[in-house]
Amino acid sequence: MKKKKVSVIITAYNAEKTIFEAIQTVLHQTYNNIEVIVINDGSTDDTRTVLTSFLDKIILIETNNEGPGAARNAGIGSATGDFIMFIDGDDYLTHENVVENLVNISEKNNAKMVVAGFNYVDTKGKLLSKRRVEPTIENMYSGAWGKLYTKNLWDNVRFPEDILYEDAGVIMAVALLAGKISLLNESIYAYRQNKKTITQSLDSPERHLDSIKAFIPYMDMVDLLENYEVKRSAIHYMNHIILGHAVVVKVEYISSAQQVAVLKQLLQYMESPLLKKDGFSSRFISDKVQRITFKLLKTDKLQSVLDILLGFAINIRNKKRNKRR
């Protein structure tokens, strides 16, 4: 019986130094029915020159620097596979059996979505740490990559194209649509840490409000869930992400009226009836620590306590990240 087709969607913007490796790790997979779709999103370096050497092996789509959401949507629209995967152009798959193993888990468990762990690596591919995930919404990673999806999950879902943090809300929604999530208990994806993150490059804290905008289209979807455990898991997922943005706004931006206003909006959103009820995930730092952090962020007092607490939380997170399988 012919194997089901997997459409691997690779988005690239100014990835001349890394896109070759990203594509090669897909082409060298043991799974023999893969469609490789590469979206060159208006690169101004030599990315396209590199891509021309693969024209007989990939489907190349050119977009006009419209952002990762629009680039992925273009890939989804062109995909003809039974499954979809996403890769960023500066990352790569860790070994040649990744796709085979993901498909096997999906078919064995009749799961529409499979999640797997990943590695943080440096510019040369040296392992920095490993990230474990679990087959629940609150314990999966919010990135689109590192997962296998059945294509029909994307029939009526697309990435937002006008906000940052476009992954977070969509991936939660797709996970809810999938119903059953399975786990491939290995690290399949190398996430490079050489790039300056979007968060680090922002001059204004206002764009962190996009973390709320990412969830707004799906709040009713979560609210109407009948399965309480799944609903709570989604709420934990949202609270953890928004709290993380609140911490960044508090710690990484100079105190100003704008900073205070953004922080206030983030915290107020977390006090909406749906999000306030079920608290936080204990995946990285304990629920109690997150609750205390939330309360301290709401006041200008006890700044030293907040600093200590955040330092403590970061240390716990880093220890867990570096815990080997």
Side-chain angles (χ1 to χ4, degrees), residues 132-310:
R132 296 170 181 251
V133 302
E134 295 175 13
T136 62
I137 293 174
E138 66 181 288
N139 292 328
M140 68 177 185
Y141 190 72
S142 60
W145 43 259
K147 303 170 179 68
L148 179 78
Y149 315 85
T150 56
K151 187 175 184 294
N152 60 12
L153 290 175
W154 296 92
D155 285 350
N156 299 303
V157 179
R158 290 293 186 271
F159 291 92
E161 300 184 2
D162 57 348
I163 65 172
L164 301 180
Y165 323 115
E166 75 289 338
D167 291 5
V170 170
I171 299 308
M172 179 187 72
V174 169
L176 291 173
L177 291 171
K180 181 178 182 180
I181 304 173
S182 283
L183 172 69
L184 175 59
N185 193 23
E186 59 184 61
S187 295
I188 67 165
Y189 191 90
Y191 180 31
R192 289 189 198 269
Q193 298 301 288
N194 64 309
K195 51 199 173 190
K196 189 175 184 181
T197 67
I198 291 176
T199 295
Q200 292 170 334
S201 66
L202 293 180
D203 294 326
S204 168
E206 285 187 343
R207 292 309 299 271
H208 289 274
L209 296 176
D210 281 2
S211 62
I212 295 174
K213 294 177 184 177
F215 293 125
I216 287 175
Y218 308 109
M219 296 300 284
D220 287 343
M221 183 181 187
V222 174
D223 197 23
L224 294 173
L225 287 171
E226 295 181 359
N227 186 316
Y228 175 68
E229 290 302 318
V230 174
K231 183 175 183 176
R232 185 173 65 173
S233 184
I235 291 169
H236 287 174
Y237 171 89
M238 290 187 284
N239 275 333
H240 179 76
I241 289 175
I242 297 173
L243 180 65
H245 283 275
V247 169
V248 169
V249 170
K250 179 68 173 179
V251 173
E252 296 190 7
Y253 291 87
I254 297 173
S255 180
S256 65
Q258 186 183 38
Q259 181 226 32
V260 171
V262 170
L263 182 60
K264 183 178 180 180
Q265 288 183 65
L266 290 168
L267 298 176
Q268 282 182 339
Y269 196 77
M270 293 173 67
E271 290 192 298
S272 62
L274 179 62
L275 296 186
K276 185 176 182 180
K277 180 181 178 182
D278 283 304
F280 301 93
S281 167
S282 58
R283 171 62 178 169
F284 298 110
I285 53 179
S286 73
D287 175 80
K288 289 184 179 179
V289 171
Q290 291 177 90
R291 288 181 184 275
I292 294 170
T293 301
F294 175 75
K295 290 180 179 179
L296 290 176
L297 284 169
K298 291 172 64 178
T299 177
D300 292 330
K301 300 177 181 179
L302 302 177
Q303 181 62 49
S304 60
V305 176
L306 179 60
D307 291 341
I308 293 171
L309 189 63
L310 293 178

Side-chain angles (χ1 to χ4, degrees), residues 14-246:
N14 287 353
E16 62 181 1
K17 296 179 180 179
T18 57
I19 190 62
F20 182 88
E21 183 175 21
I23 295 173
Q24 285 284 69
T25 61
V26 178
L27 295 178
H28 289 168
Q29 290 293 300
T30 57
Y31 197 81
N32 60 13
N33 194 10
I34 296 177
E35 170 184 70
V36 185
I37 302 171
V38 182
I39 299 89
N40 179 30
D41 189 28
S43 297
T44 57
D45 64 358
D46 285 332
T47 295
R48 196 182 192 290
T49 301
V50 177
L51 294 177
T52 56
S53 65
F54 291 105
L55 289 180
D56 60 332
K57 299 176 182 178
I58 67 173
I59 297 169
L60 177 60
I61 299 173
E62 299 279 356
T63 54
N64 188 27
N65 193 18
E66 298 170 6
R72 290 194 184 121
N73 289 341
I76 294 170
S78 297
T80 63
D82 302 287
F83 297 99
I84 282 180
M85 291 180 63
F86 298 101
I87 298 178
D88 287 350
D90 42 7
D91 301 329
Y92 57 92
L93 301 180
T94 58
H95 59 83
E96 64 183 9
N97 298 319
V98 167
V99 177
E100 187 95 42
N101 293 348
L102 286 168
V103 172
N104 286 343
I105 289 290
S106 174
E107 294 183 336
K108 177 182 177 181
N109 298 335
N110 193 28
K112 293 185 176 182
M113 182 172 176
V114 182
V115 298
F118 62 92
N119 297 336
Y120 293 96
V121 300
D122 66 11
T123 57
K124 297 181 180 180
K126 180 181 178 182
L127 178 66
L128 299 175
S129 61
K130 292 187 176 183
R131 170 70 178 270
R132 296 170 181 251
V133 302
E134 295 175 13
T136 62
I137 293 174
E138 66 181 288
N139 292 328
M140 68 177 185
Y141 190 72
S142 60
W145 43 259
K147 303 170 179 68
L148 179 78
Y149 315 85
T150 56
K151 187 175 184 294
N152 60 12
L153 290 175
W154 296 92
D155 285 350
N156 299 303
V157 179
R158 290 293 186 271
F159 291 92
E161 300 184 2
D162 57 348
I163 65 172
L164 301 180
Y165 323 115
E166 75 289 338
D167 291 5
V170 170
I171 299 308
M172 179 187 72
V174 169
L176 291 173
L177 291 171
K180 181 178 182 180
I181 304 173
S182 283
L183 172 69
L184 175 59
N185 193 23
E186 59 184 61
S187 295
I188 67 165
Y189 191 90
Y191 180 31
R192 289 189 198 269
Q193 298 301 288
N194 64 309
K195 51 199 173 190
K196 189 175 184 181
T197 67
I198 291 176
T199 295
Q200 292 170 334
S201 66
L202 293 180
D203 294 326
S204 168
E206 285 187 343
R207 292 309 299 271
H208 289 274
L209 296 176
D210 281 2
S211 62
I212 295 174
K213 294 177 184 177
F215 293 125
I216 287 175
Y218 308 109
M219 296 300 284
D220 287 343
M221 183 181 187
V222 174
D223 197 23
L224 294 173
L225 287 171
E226 295 181 359
N227 186 316
Y228 175 68
E229 290 302 318
V230 174
K231 183 175 183 176
R232 185 173 65 173
S233 184
I235 291 169
H236 287 174
Y237 171 89
M238 290 187 284
N239 275 333
H240 179 76
I241 289 175
I242 297 173
L243 180 65
H245 283 275

